[in-house]
Amino acid sequence: NRIAGSVAKPRVFVPILPGTTGEYEAIRAFTKAGGIVDTFVFRSLTIEGIEESFKVIAEKINNSQIIMLPGGLCGDVQPGGSGRYIASVFQNPVVKEADMDFLEKRDGLILGVGMGFQALLKLGLLPHGRYMDMKEDSPALTINNIGRTVSKIVSVRIASTLSPWHSNVNVDDVYLLPVSHGEGR
């Protein structure tokens, strides 16, 4: 939205949770694109810190137009370790209510990369766009067949431009993108 020569600066919230990585890159990218980035480090040492963190996250969601869930790495050997943690934080009733209002009433945008993407799957936000319990046939990321991280350049074809994230691309455009992941095939 342009008003008298100015450009809108979206407010972006990047929660920093135990096990997340990539928040510095996300902050840098959104800042470079003109966003106003806000962060919060989740406090998990005490029950009081956890409860206060839920309230602060909800408040920051209420003051944002975009939520960016960064990737993560957890000492957990199970697939989606930090993705499960992110999802559990967003399942907290206080956070969930703020997030549902953000998505359903305020038409907010949410982006998840790596384990942030995994969290969106676990919450049902992908592919449904709303919180849903996972079922046996729900989409999920799984460990790569080769049993290790894949790191390479891949071709990605745009199949739809319905997402606001795709406002500057066309259907059938092909992009070369770097990928590096241990899950995701």
Side-chain angles (χ1 to χ4, degrees):
N1 298 331
R2 292 182 184 260
I3 299 172
S6 67
V7 176
K9 293 183 174 277
R11 294 179 313 279
V12 182
F13 173 50
V14 180
I16 302 170
L17 304 167
T20 58
T21 61
E23 56 270 1
Y24 290 115
E25 291 85 354
I27 293 165
R28 185 171 36 253
F30 275 108
T31 300
K32 183 177 179 183
I36 300 167
V37 181
D38 192 9
T39 63
F40 175 72
V41 177
F42 190 86
R43 292 171 177 86
S44 60
L45 292 178
T46 65
I47 295 294
E48 295 79 17
I50 292 169
E51 290 172 356
E52 182 62 26
S53 290
F54 290 141
K55 293 175 188 172
V56 173
I57 287 173
E59 178 184 308
K60 291 192 178 285
I61 289 171
N62 290 335
N63 291 316
S64 299
Q65 296 164 304
I66 298 172
I67 300 169
M68 175 12 176
L69 301 177
L73 180 61
C74 199
D76 193 334
V77 295
Q78 296 295 318
S82 58
R84 284 194 312 268
Y85 195 99
I86 296 166
S88 70
V89 168
F90 275 75
Q91 284 287 11
N92 172 272
V94 173
V95 175
K96 184 176 180 179
E97 181 181 342
D99 196 34
M100 288 172 45
D101 180 72
F102 172 83
L103 294 169
E104 295 173 1
K105 295 179 184 168
R106 296 182 23 234
D107 206 23
L109 297 173
I110 189 165
L111 171 68
V113 174
M115 287 300 106
F117 182 86
Q118 177 80 288
L120 295 176
L121 288 171
K122 289 184 177 303
L123 292 167
L125 292 171
L126 286 176
H128 308 291
R130 64 187 188 281
Y131 281 75
M132 293 188 70
D133 292 332
M134 289 192 78
K135 299 177 184 166
E136 191 166 312
D137 63 345
S138 294
L141 299 179
T142 187
I143 295 173
N144 294 327
N145 285 337
I146 59 175
R148 62 179 168 78
T149 296
V150 171
S151 184
K152 63 182 180 178
I153 303 291
V154 297
S155 296
V156 176
R157 182 184 66 82
I158 303 299
S160 169
T161 57
L162 296 177
S163 169
W165 299 113
H166 291 149
S167 63
N168 292 322
V169 298
N170 299 303
V171 171
D172 291 328
D173 284 353
V174 176
Y175 294 90
L176 294 175
L177 299 174
V179 297
S180 180
H181 55 80
E183 301 173 359
R185 283 192 244 168

